[in-house]
Amino acid sequence: MISIKCDDLFLKKNIINLLEQKNFFLKKKYLNKYFFELNFYQEEKTLIFSTDDDEVKINLPKNYNDLFQKIFDFVSNRSIFIKNYKYYPYKQLMKKEDKVSYLSDIQNEIMIHLLLNLGNGIDKIELIKSIWPNDKDIFFNKLDTHLTNLKNQLLSDINFKLKFSSKSSLLKLSIN
């Protein structure tokens, strides 16, 4: 869900390695689709990373855990706007004003895939394989149950009407 941009290939490799060790979602899992791009560069003894509208400066040296925590805190406070709602993929929540809906891991994974594939939709079989990679059988009912639960929860918690369509095994999110 994030893309790492860095002109220093050694620095980029180490940052990606750190994030992969911590099972942080990177774009390669989502076929080069991402919500945020983090730009990294180093000036003398300062590591700087930023998005379009914000940046963080970290004095070096730092241990990996501290560095990861700074990156995680920075990214987890980023939201995606869906109508008048804010979706925080790393916090696994969606909110409007003071109302919040906390998503389960599976619900969050579904939202991520639906939003990253907003225009084209996502194949249900690929979605099922992504959410349950160890299942040998593909059960559409299992996915449909989670979709229904997500839809009902968002409506109940924050009055968000999640709309999606399914045609020929292609699942699409509809945002009007």
Side-chain angles (χ1 to χ4, degrees), residues 19-65:
L19 297 176
E20 285 177 341
Q21 285 178 32
K22 299 287 189 175
N23 292 322
F24 207 62
F25 296 128
L26 295 172
K27 69 178 183 175
K28 103 177 142 180
K29 181 179 178 181
Y30 296 99
L31 304 173
N32 294 325
K33 297 176 183 177
Y34 53 90
F35 294 130
F36 314 108
E37 181 174 78
L38 287 180
N39 300 298
F40 285 84
Y41 60 97
Q42 188 172 346
E43 291 180 351
E44 296 182 20
K45 294 192 177 207
T46 304
L47 177 66
I48 302 163
F49 57 93
S50 64
T51 59
D52 293 332
D53 60 347
D54 200 5
E55 81 175 13
V56 172
K57 294 181 180 184
I58 302 171
N59 293 325
L60 298 174
K62 277 279 192 243
N63 72 43
Y64 266 10
N65 288 330

Side-chain angles (χ1 to χ4, degrees), residues 68-138:
F68 173 76
Q69 192 61 51
K70 294 277 187 192
I71 296 169
F72 181 80
D73 291 344
F74 183 76
V75 172
S76 66
N77 288 313
R78 303 279 162 251
S79 63
I80 294 135
F81 286 92
I82 307 169
K83 293 186 180 182
N84 299 336
Y85 298 83
K86 287 183 179 180
Y87 170 57
Y88 294 83
Y90 285 95
K91 289 184 177 180
Q92 295 188 203
L93 65 87
M94 195 162 175
K95 69 189 256 182
K96 183 176 182 182
E97 297 160 5
D98 61 341
K99 294 181 181 180
V100 178
S101 183
Y102 296 96
L103 307 179
S104 70
D105 290 340
I106 292 172
Q107 290 172 330
N108 197 51
E109 186 82 13
I110 290 169
M111 282 298 292
I112 289 167
H113 281 284
L114 288 173
L115 289 169
L116 287 176
N117 294 286
L118 193 56
N120 301 325
I122 184 166
D123 182 76
K124 278 185 162 184
I125 293 172
E126 292 306 312
L127 180 57
I128 290 167
K129 286 180 181 179
S130 175
I131 296 171
W132 298 285
N134 297 325
D135 284 5
K136 292 183 180 174
D137 296 320
I138 293 174

Side-chain angles (χ1 to χ4, degrees), residues 33 113-114 116-128 140 143-144 147 163-174:
K33 297 176 183 177
H113 281 284
L114 288 173
L116 287 176
N117 294 286
L118 193 56
N120 301 325
I122 184 166
D123 182 76
K124 278 185 162 184
I125 293 172
E126 292 306 312
L127 180 57
I128 290 167
F140 289 103
L143 176 61
D144 291 342
L147 286 166
K163 296 178 185 176
F164 47 85
S165 61
S166 181
K167 186 175 182 181
S168 301
S169 186
L170 191 66
L171 184 64
K172 283 188 176 184
L173 180 63
S174 301

